Amino acid sequence: MTSATTANQAPPEPRTEHQEERCDLPVLGMHCTSCAARIESTLSQTEGVNQASVNFATGRATVFYDPQSATSQSLREVVHEMGYETIAPEETTTAAPVAEEDGETQARLAEYRQQRTRFLLALILSLPVALMEMGGHLVPALAAALDFPGRYWLELALTSVVLFWGGGEFFAGAWNAARHRAADMNTLVALGTLSAFLYSAVATAAPQLVLPDLTGHGAHAQEAPAPVYFEAAALIITLILMGRLLELRARNRTGGAIRALIGLQARTARIEREGLQLEVPIAEVRVGDLVLVRPGEKVPVDGQVVDGQSTVDESMLTGEPLPATKKAGDTVIGATLNKTGSFRFRATKVGGDTVLQQIVRLVQQAQGSKAPLQRLADQVSGYFVPIVLCLAIAAAVVWFVAAPDETRLAMALSAFVSVLIIACPCALGLATPAAIMVGTGRGAQQGILIKGGQALETAHRLTTVVLDKTGTLTRGEARITDIAAQGLGEDELLRLVASAEQGSEHPLGQAILHSAAERGLKLASPQHFEALAGLGVEAAVEGRQLLVGNEALLLQRGIPPDRAVALQFADQGKTPVFVAVDGRFAGLIAIADPPKDSSRDAVARLQRLGLKVVMLTGDHRRTAEAIARQVGIDEVRAEILPEGKSQVIEKLQAAGEVVAMVGDGINDAPALAQADLGIAMGTGTDVAMEAADITLVRGDLHGVAASIALSRATTRNIKQNLFFAFIYNVLGIPLAAGVLYPFTGWLLSPIIASLAMALSSVSVLTNALRLRGFTVERS
């Protein structure tokens, strides 16, 4: 019985009547969530674009578009026209994902180096300005030495370089935003620093315009100058540049999981062609090539072992710590490490089709997704900058009116600049995607592939986990243990049944075929074969009509089975297969599929997490209950047809449960589709990797509990980040506006405000990076 797996949620990728293509654009120059929101809005309104999403944390725009109306090049041009750069993809090869990531890494590194150069120059030029302005206050003995003619002109010159070269990106960003009738963090920084700089420039060039009392006293202007804020403007730019530098570094670290996965890829392969051994770049390996792997070498691509034997360390992809033995006929996965022996294998998947590249794509998609928790942050960020501008103006007006005449201009300017500078929409925008990036990346390194933010958020709310029996709780290696024949010999009954099952892909059918092969039975070709969903098979073999399946199949056809023997088998945890030949009951075949060694501990872990565990199977009730007792499950739903499985899930949901369905991703499609979260067990080669919300590469039930624990840790981290980002702005903006000044005399310096703003985003990213320490508990 086979069926395609479907995701449990509505497909994240929109579909249209025309063929749709996806384009991922790495974007350089985004400095806040407002930048990302503006790019997303513009792309979404572009002709031919069905959906666009821009993730500030990853620095990527993901666009789904109609190739008849748009191209990837035209989409890049739209981004360029907005004042941002995109990283051009490398030439397409079979190793394109690796090349693309290498190109992006180099571009991100160049961006970091450029930011570092700007920061260092700004720091070198800002320190003298700060020393000249504040040195006399800190060390009175220096006051006379620092009060030299032309001092303020020197401060003006140095600050100009800092402001318009070191901080040029802020003004360019503010101008680009203004051209699109928008405002972002660059607007806040540009307005704040430019206000302080222009005021100080006027105070230096024409102090009488700022302090009218100086009119007619030009000769004494140096002795009683108007107050200037060059050091504030210079240090604000320098500190924000420092914050961006630290932020870039931290954001690059959050994407370390992707680079680590891609770094696993071998660069060359040793292949045999026309009797010659050749060492070729990985991009030149083709499907069908014979590949030689020696001890200590990485397996270059996916394939099937032809000859030789070895042990292979697959921990980097599956999380399994013990090496797996590989022999002829076994599958090997690219990027795993050969340990002891040598072997040759036939390449079956190369380039972007390998398991490693599928994992990389899944993780990239997950890291580019948006969790529902992010909606609130996005909504707040959309109104954030205009609100801050209004608050800054209000604070300036209030202090200009309420402060004493001699200080009102200085206090109004200080409050205006401080409010603009301390406000930080970036921390809000980074709170969710940074945690998702680190959480999904860490999961991939542990063999847990999470499709995105929606799956993470659903997983942490789960109340019930429904487990399929065969292949999930059990080993999926069914073997015949008993044959109870009536009217036929055991071998003859097994031969007829095995002949009928040749067209079946059901695990029980495979067990019957395996047993017949072991006994050396000669099978006949069935003249007719029909799979009966949830019941069994009907076939004609050598002119005889066979029914092979469960008790319900025989009862449906009016054939009474031997229930006593069937119940005896079921009580022993064996599955009874009922057989009828030519309309008469012909016997029972008992098949056992023992539980995995880890199942009992894994079920106990789920229960310790406060989850209700339910076993769901189409197997005989007595057999299912026997298996359930062995693994510690109390609630069993047995003898359920495939379409009935989804109804069981639906009833649990109607009772208020948030349900995860765990299956093999092949024959549990209806239930996986109905469940709130679909978790597929597999070896990493199943089609389920593309369909399920969460795929466990290792195929170990412990991964279910680990994926839920990881989702809870990630969601908790997101909430911590959001709380910090909200509370920072809620407390910081009023403090900068001078709310506490009448009571405490505290008025926040713009320099301190810029330092706080610079560190706020870094703090959120640092908290997200704690998820890199998450480990999967193995029994």
Side-chain angles (χ1 to χ4, degrees):
M1 294 179 290
T2 61
S3 56
T5 304
T6 59
N8 72 307
Q9 302 288 343
E13 299 181 1
R15 300 296 179 202
T16 63
E17 294 180 359
H18 303 293
Q19 181 64 37
E20 187 176 64
E21 292 188 7
R22 171 183 174 136
C23 177
D24 289 297
L25 302 175
V27 181
L28 297 175
M30 289 193 297
H31 298 303
C32 66
T33 51
S34 296
C35 299
R38 193 164 64 254
I39 296 172
E40 182 175 306
S41 175
T42 303
L43 285 173
S44 297
Q45 296 171 21
T46 302
E47 183 181 358
V49 172
N50 300 324
Q51 180 178 317
S53 176
V54 180
N55 191 310
F56 174 54
T58 61
R60 277 177 173 258
T62 300
V63 186
F64 297 97
Y65 66 95
D66 182 352
Q68 297 180 357
S69 305
T71 65
S72 59
Q73 179 59 36
S74 69
L75 296 174
R76 284 196 293 272
E77 289 173 359
V78 169
V79 177
H80 291 167
E81 288 174 3
M82 297 183 67
Y84 302 93
E85 296 297 322
T86 60
I87 301 172
E90 301 289 332
E91 292 295 325
T92 302
T93 69
T94 55
V98 176
E100 180 182 339
E101 187 67 26
D102 285 345
E104 183 174 351
T105 299
Q106 292 303 316
R108 301 287 183 198
L109 184 59
E111 182 184 27
Y112 175 82
R113 287 172 177 165
Q114 184 183 46
Q115 194 75 26
R116 183 177 59 187
T117 301
R118 289 179 180 274
F119 164 67
L120 291 175
L121 180 63
L123 179 65
I124 292 170
L125 297 181
S126 296
L127 288 178
V129 176
L131 178 63
M132 285 185 285
E133 190 62 36
M134 298 186 291
H137 299 291
L138 298 176
V139 184
L142 295 176
L146 295 174
D147 191 18
F148 55 87
R151 164 187 146 187
Y152 296 107
W153 290 101
L154 179 59
E155 288 186 22
L156 172 62
L158 293 175
T159 304
S160 297
V161 178
V162 172
L163 209 65
F164 300 112
W165 188 88
E169 62 189 54
F170 300 111
F171 296 97
W175 173 246
N176 285 329
R179 286 195 303 116
H180 293 85
R181 299 179 183 178
D184 56 18
M185 196 193 80
N186 291 314
T187 307
L188 300 180
V189 175
L191 280 176
T193 54
L194 193 60
S195 299
F197 176 79
L198 290 177
Y199 171 86
S200 302
V202 171
T204 300
Q208 66 276 9
L209 296 179
V210 179
L211 295 178
D213 291 344
L214 291 178
T215 303
H217 297 80
H220 303 285
Q222 181 64 36
E223 299 175 10
V228 295
Y229 296 93
F230 289 123
E231 87 288 356
L235 287 176
I236 286 170
I237 291 294
T238 301
L239 290 172
I240 295 177
L241 286 174
M242 180 191 73
R244 286 193 172 179
L245 186 67
L246 295 174
E247 182 183 316
L248 272 177
R249 183 177 180 181
R251 280 167 58 188
N252 287 337
R253 289 174 64 196
T254 61
I258 287 283
R259 291 190 293 276
L261 286 170
I262 290 178
L264 298 174
Q265 178 74 65
R267 298 295 177 179
T268 61
R270 188 176 292 103
I271 64 174
E272 293 184 8
R273 285 182 186 165
E274 301 177 355
L276 299 176
Q277 280 194 14
L278 307 172
E279 186 166 347
V280 299
I282 191 73
E284 295 182 14
V285 180
R286 302 192 295 263
V287 172
D289 277 344
L290 199 59
V291 184
L292 174 64
V293 183
R294 294 174 178 171
E297 294 181 343
K298 287 183 177 179
V299 178
V301 295
D302 299 356
Q304 188 173 43
V305 177
V306 174
D307 55 52
Q309 184 170 335
S310 183
T311 56
V312 177
D313 180 2
E314 298 178 336
S315 61
M316 62 286 294
L317 293 180
T318 67
E320 170 59 63
L322 298 177
T325 300
K326 301 293 181 180
K327 57 185 183 302
D330 290 341
T331 298
V332 289
I333 302 174
T336 54
L337 182 63
N338 184 34
K339 301 292 284 186
T340 54
S342 298
F343 60 89
R344 295 189 304 167
F345 72 93
R346 187 77 61 183
T348 57
K349 291 182 180 180
V350 299
D353 296 327
T354 63
V355 169
L356 175 65
Q357 294 305 329
Q358 289 181 57
I359 291 174
V360 168
R361 281 197 300 272
L362 281 173
V363 176
Q364 285 177 334
Q365 291 170 15
Q367 293 184 345
S369 67
K370 292 187 177 182
L373 271 175
Q374 194 171 343
R375 294 172 190 154
L376 176 61
D378 287 346
Q379 290 173 354
V380 172
S381 297
Y383 298 101
F384 188 86
V385 173
I387 290 174
V388 169
L389 284 171
C390 293
L391 290 174
I393 294 171
V397 170
V398 168
W399 283 113
F400 189 82
V401 172
D405 290 347
E406 62 274 13
T407 61
R408 65 181 184 178
L409 187 58
M411 293 188 71
L413 182 63
S414 178
F416 178 73
V417 174
S418 294
V419 170
L420 290 178
I421 297 303
I422 201 169
C424 185
C426 295
L428 283 172
L430 287 169
T432 299
I436 289 176
M437 281 185 70
V438 182
T440 54
R442 184 56 180 160
Q445 291 174 326
Q446 298 287 318
I448 302 169
L449 304 183
I450 302 171
K451 203 141 202 184
Q454 177 69 59
L456 273 173
E457 197 161 325
T458 301
H460 101 277
R461 296 187 292 107
L462 292 175
T463 59
T464 300
V465 176
V466 178
L467 303 174
D468 178 51
K469 180 179 75 69
T470 304
T472 301
L473 285 165
T474 64
R475 297 175 184 173
E477 300 172 355
R479 292 289 183 268
I480 290 178
T481 59
D482 304 272
I483 299 177
Q486 291 188 11
L488 294 171
E490 287 187 6
D491 282 358
E492 178 63 10
L493 179 65
L494 179 59
R495 187 184 71 84
L496 289 173
V497 172
S499 298
E501 290 284 357
Q502 288 181 93
S504 172
E505 296 181 9
H506 195 280
L508 299 184
Q510 297 302 308
I512 291 170
L513 288 169
H514 184 269
S515 181
E518 286 183 336
R519 297 192 183 199
L521 301 179
K522 186 176 181 180
L523 306 185
S525 298
Q527 289 85 41
H528 166 74
F529 174 86
E530 182 181 358
L532 306 173
L535 296 172
V537 301
E538 181 177 6
V541 178
E542 296 178 342
R544 312 180 77 171
Q545 297 299 316
L546 270 73
L547 294 173
V548 183
N550 55 25
E551 184 180 14
L553 174 59
L554 268 63
L555 292 175
Q556 187 184 86
R557 302 299 177 90
I559 302 172
D562 187 341
R563 290 181 56 86
V565 176
L567 292 176
Q568 180 183 346
F569 287 155
D571 287 339
Q572 297 170 2
K574 302 172 183 177
T575 300
V577 177
F578 295 78
V579 183
V581 178
D582 294 331
R584 300 182 62 179
F585 179 69
L588 288 162
I589 297 177
I591 299 177
D593 182 11
K596 296 176 182 176
D597 295 336
S598 61
S599 290
R600 188 173 185 87
D601 288 340
V603 168
R605 283 189 63 196
L606 289 171
Q607 292 168 339
R608 287 197 299 271
L609 289 173
L611 298 167
K612 180 168 73 173
V613 182
V614 180
M615 187 172 83
L616 186 62
T617 179
D619 213 340
H620 193 282
R621 175 165 296 279
R622 300 282 280 267
T623 303
E625 289 175 347
I627 296 294
R629 285 193 297 272
Q630 294 177 45
V631 298
I633 296 177
D634 298 323
E635 188 171 344
V636 178
R637 308 293 174 89
E639 300 176 359
I640 305 295
L641 298 177
E643 59 270 23
K645 291 184 177 182
S646 63
Q647 294 172 6
V648 171
I649 301 293
E650 189 174 0
K651 288 178 181 178
L652 288 169
Q653 292 170 326
E657 304 288 350
V658 181
V659 183
M661 173 67 193
V662 185
D664 59 13
I666 300 298
N667 61 356
D668 298 307
L672 285 168
Q674 180 61 45
D676 297 287
L677 188 76
I679 302 178
M681 309 284 286
T683 61
T685 58
D686 294 333
V687 68
M689 286 181 59
E690 295 288 348
D693 296 298
I694 297 177
T695 299
L696 307 179
V697 177
R698 183 183 175 189
D700 181 2
L701 199 56
H702 277 288
V704 178
S707 64
I708 294 171
L710 175 60
S711 73
R712 290 181 175 181
T714 304
T715 304
R716 185 164 56 248
N717 191 280
I718 290 172
K719 290 179 177 179
Q720 291 168 354
N721 289 344
L722 286 173
F723 173 79
F724 174 80
F726 274 114
I727 205 70
Y728 163 81
N729 284 290
V730 167
L731 296 179
I733 292 175
L735 185 63
V739 170
L740 296 181
Y741 183 81
F743 311 102
T744 64
W746 295 348
L747 188 62
L748 193 66
S749 162
I751 297 173
I752 301 299
S754 65
L755 179 61
M757 190 274 277
L759 295 179
S760 61
S761 296
V762 177
S763 299
V764 166
L765 288 167
T766 302
N767 187 50
L769 286 169
R770 292 192 304 110
L771 289 170
R772 296 199 304 179
F774 179 87
T775 56
V776 174
E777 180 183 331
R778 305 288 188 190
S779 61

